[in-house]
Amino acid sequence: MQNSAEAITPQQLETEAKTAYANGDYSLAAKSFSAAQQGYKSIGDEVLAAEMANNCCVALLQEDAPAAAQEAYEVVEGTMSVFKEAGDLRRQAMALGNRASAMEALGNLNEAIEDYEDSSRILKEIGANDLRMDVMKSLSALQLKTGRSLEALATMQAEVDGVEKPNLKQRLLKRLLSLPRRFLGR
């Protein structure tokens, strides 16, 4: 961190956090995002404070520390309502996805599935297909992990169907996913 004798703005802390994250120093990134969150709160910018909380959550989930998942969950918990009140559906959906990731890391798999589904629904509504694909991948993997194979298959199908210009890998996956429907006569 910078010299503590000089005043550090939330923007500087945010920049420091992003640099630390890009360099793989997730612990420093989480601390700096948390400090930026407090800074934005102190100047009354609740939306940017919630954004920093979400970034902190992501950094914490990258850490390989036992308590990091619980801390990630706690830091992201109230942010969905801030974004909802601000009318920022994109950030609300991302916050739901971040909370789902934290819950998944904590072993709360059913709650994680619900948040991934809610996130996906919002992202579909606003047309954020790239972000939705990431959420759908996480949801599908979690459905497979919990023995919900048919749901996972449907989620993967919805994921690739949502891609406007599929690349080679996505086209291949689309073909593979169409096979079970052919066998079932649908």
Side-chain angles (χ1 to χ4, degrees), residues 67-184:
Q70 182 63 39
E71 190 178 346
Y73 174 79
E74 290 169 5
V75 78
V76 78
E77 179 56 27
T79 63
M80 283 75 55
S81 59
V82 172
F83 296 131
K84 185 175 184 175
E85 288 174 24
D88 193 334
L89 295 177
R90 180 182 174 94
R91 286 182 180 168
Q92 179 187 355
M94 291 173 67
L96 281 163
N98 290 340
R99 184 172 73 178
S101 295
M103 285 193 291
E104 184 176 356
L106 289 169
N108 301 333
L109 305 184
N110 290 327
E111 293 91 343
I113 287 172
E114 288 176 26
D115 273 0
Y116 281 135
E117 288 171 343
D118 289 346
S119 176
S120 173
R121 179 186 46 75
I122 293 169
L123 291 169
K124 182 177 182 179
E125 283 175 20
I126 63 172
N129 294 326
D130 288 346
L131 287 173
R132 184 172 182 253
M133 274 188 46
D134 292 336
V135 170
M136 297 292 276
K137 284 178 191 175
S138 297
L139 174 58
S140 178
L142 187 52
Q143 288 168 330
L144 276 174
K145 189 178 186 178
T146 58
R148 300 174 186 180
S149 303
L150 291 177
E151 287 179 54
L153 184 63
T155 299
M156 281 189 255
Q157 184 69 49
E159 174 191 331
V160 294
D161 285 346
V163 178
E164 289 181 28
K165 296 179 183 176
N167 60 30
L168 179 61
K169 184 178 172 184
Q170 291 164 333
R171 287 193 305 268
L172 179 60
L173 181 59
K174 198 172 196 173
R175 279 197 188 138
L176 287 172
L177 290 172
S178 70
L179 292 176
R181 286 195 301 198
R182 287 185 194 158
F183 289 123
L184 295 173

Side-chain angles (χ1 to χ4, degrees), residues 3-60:
N3 185 348
S4 60
E6 57 185 76
I8 300 174
T9 67
Q11 296 85 356
Q12 289 169 319
L13 290 165
E14 180 181 356
T15 299
E16 181 178 283
K18 288 178 179 179
T19 301
Y21 188 90
N23 291 333
D25 189 346
Y26 304 119
S27 178
L28 176 59
K31 289 174 186 162
S32 296
F33 280 130
S34 181
Q37 174 192 7
Q38 295 308 314
Y40 282 122
K41 268 187 181 181
S42 72
I43 61 172
D45 194 332
E46 292 297 320
V47 173
L48 279 177
E51 176 72 15
M52 294 305 103
N54 271 275
N55 291 345
C56 181
C57 171
V58 172
L60 286 165

